[in-house]
C-alpha cells in the first residue's frame, strides 16, 4: 500500500541526488551494492547490541539506495534485466539482515525466545511473500493483489518502532515495548498477505486454465467443422 505513494514521492525528492551521482561517474549497480552493505552493517552490528536508535539511523540512510539506483538507471537510459535482478535479490538480503538483527538481539541479550521466533517468522514470511508474487508472475499470472503488509510496510513499521524503542537508551521510559508490538504486527500482517497472494494465484491460475481449455475446445470444434 505504501509502495504506491511513498515511492513516487521519494523518487521525485531523490532525482537531483541521482543525477549528481551519474555526473560523478557512479553506476547504479555500485549504489545497489553499497546500499545493501550499509543496511546489513546497521542491522547486524547495531541491532544485536541493542543499539536500535543508531542502527535505524544507519539503515534509513542506506535503504534509500533502493530508490536511487533505479532512478539513476532510468535517467541514464541503462535499465537492464541484470540491474532489476540484482536490485530485487539484494533487497531480499537487506530485509533478511534487518530481521536477523532483531532475532540475534532477542536470542542474546534481549533474552526472549518467543520474540526471537517472531523475528525469524518475519524474516521467513517476508521472503516467501516476495517469492509468491515472483513465482506467480513467472508462470504468466498478473498476481493482481495489493497485500496488507508488503515490503514497504514491513520496513516502515519495524524500523520506526526500532528507532523509537532505541530512545529508551536516552532515558525515555517504557518505549521499548514498541518493537515487540511492531514485530507481532509485521508477523501477522505478513501471514495475511501471504494468504492473500496464494488465494489470488489460485484464482488466477484456475481462470487461466479454464480460458486455455475453452480456447482448445474452440480450436477442436473449428477443426471438426473444417473436416466436414
Amino acid at each position: 500500500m505504501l509502495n504506491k505513494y511513498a515511492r513516487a514521492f521519494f523518487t521525485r525528492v531523490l532525482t537531483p541526488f541521482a543525477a549528481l551521482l551519474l555526473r560523478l561517474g557512479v553506476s547504479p549497480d555500485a549504489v545497489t551494492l553499497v546500499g545493501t552493505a550499509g543496511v546489513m552493517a546497521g542491522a547486524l552490528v547495531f541491532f544485536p547490541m541493542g543499539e536500535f536508535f543508531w542502527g535505524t539511523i544507519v539503515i534509513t540512510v542506506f535503504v534509500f539506495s533502493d530508490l536511487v539506483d533505479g532512478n539513476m538507471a532510468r535517467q541514464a537510459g541503462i535499465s537492464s534485466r541484470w540491474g532489476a535482478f540484482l536490485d530485487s535479490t539484494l533487497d531480499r538480503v537487506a530485509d533478511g539482515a534487518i530481521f536477523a538483527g532483531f532475532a540475534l538481539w532477542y536470542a542474546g541479550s534481549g533474552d526472549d525466545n518467543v520474540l526471537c521466533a517472531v523475528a525469524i517468522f518475519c524474516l521467513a514470511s517476508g521472503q516467501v511473500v516476495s517469492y509468491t508474487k515472483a513465482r506467480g508472475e513467472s508462470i504468466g499470472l498478473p498476481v493482481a493483489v495489493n497485500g496488507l503488509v508488503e515490503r514497504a510496510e514491513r520496513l516502515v513499521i519495524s524500523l520506526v518502532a526500532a528507532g523509537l524503542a532505541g530512545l529508551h537508551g536516552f532515558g525515555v521510559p517504557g518505549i521499548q515495548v514498541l518493537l515487540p508490538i511492531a514485530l507481532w504486527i509485521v508477523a501477522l500482517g505478513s501471514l495475511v498477505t501471504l494468504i492473500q497472494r496464494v488465494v489470488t494465484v489460485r484464482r488466477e491460475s484456475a481462470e487461466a486454465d479454464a480460458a486455455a481449455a475453452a480456447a482448445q475446445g474452440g480450436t477442436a470444434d473449428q477443426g471438426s467443422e473444417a473436416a466436414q
Side-chain angles (χ1 to χ4, degrees):
M1 290 183 291
L2 287 175
N3 278 333
K4 180 179 179 181
Y5 302 104
R7 291 186 71 91
F9 170 76
F10 285 110
T11 295
R12 289 195 298 271
V13 172
L14 294 171
T15 292
F17 179 63
L20 173 61
L21 291 177
L22 286 172
R23 288 196 295 272
L24 294 175
V26 179
S27 71
D29 287 353
V31 173
T32 302
L33 292 168
V34 171
T36 302
V39 170
M40 292 179 66
L44 298 178
V45 174
F46 289 94
F47 284 176
M49 297 189 300
E51 294 289 347
F52 295 117
F53 178 79
W54 293 114
T56 300
I57 294 298
V58 172
I59 291 170
T60 301
V61 169
F62 285 99
V63 81
F64 283 107
S65 65
D66 186 44
L67 299 176
V68 173
D69 54 5
N71 194 315
M72 292 171 65
R74 286 189 295 273
Q75 288 191 49
I78 55 174
S79 297
S80 65
R81 291 182 176 87
W82 162 249
F85 170 81
L86 180 67
D87 187 54
S88 295
T89 300
L90 293 185
D91 280 349
R92 305 289 84 77
V93 173
D95 293 357
I98 291 171
F99 289 103
F102 293 141
L104 288 171
W105 162 251
Y106 286 115
S109 301
D111 193 23
D112 193 318
N113 289 336
V114 172
L115 288 175
C116 176
V118 172
I120 293 173
F121 179 83
C122 290
L123 190 163
S125 61
Q127 307 298 315
V128 177
V129 164
S130 297
Y131 174 79
T132 54
K133 185 173 180 65
R135 181 57 178 151
E137 291 175 342
S138 74
I139 58 175
L141 301 175
V143 195
V145 59
N146 291 321
L148 179 64
V149 175
E150 297 181 318
R151 183 174 186 250
E153 287 83 5
R154 289 196 302 272
L155 290 178
V156 169
I157 293 170
S158 58
L159 291 178
V160 168
L164 292 175
L167 294 177
H168 178 70
F170 295 92
V172 180
I175 201 166
Q176 67 273 22
V177 73
L178 291 178
L179 181 55
I181 293 173
L183 289 176
W184 278 107
I185 290 173
V186 170
L188 294 174
S190 296
L191 178 60
V192 171
T193 303
L194 177 59
I195 293 171
Q196 288 177 303
R197 289 192 173 179
V198 169
V199 169
T200 299
V201 169
R202 171 62 178 162
R203 174 178 53 78
E204 291 177 349
S205 62
E207 292 172 352
D209 290 343
Q216 287 182 343
T219 301
D221 291 342
Q222 290 175 359
S224 298
E225 292 174 359
Q228 294 173 1

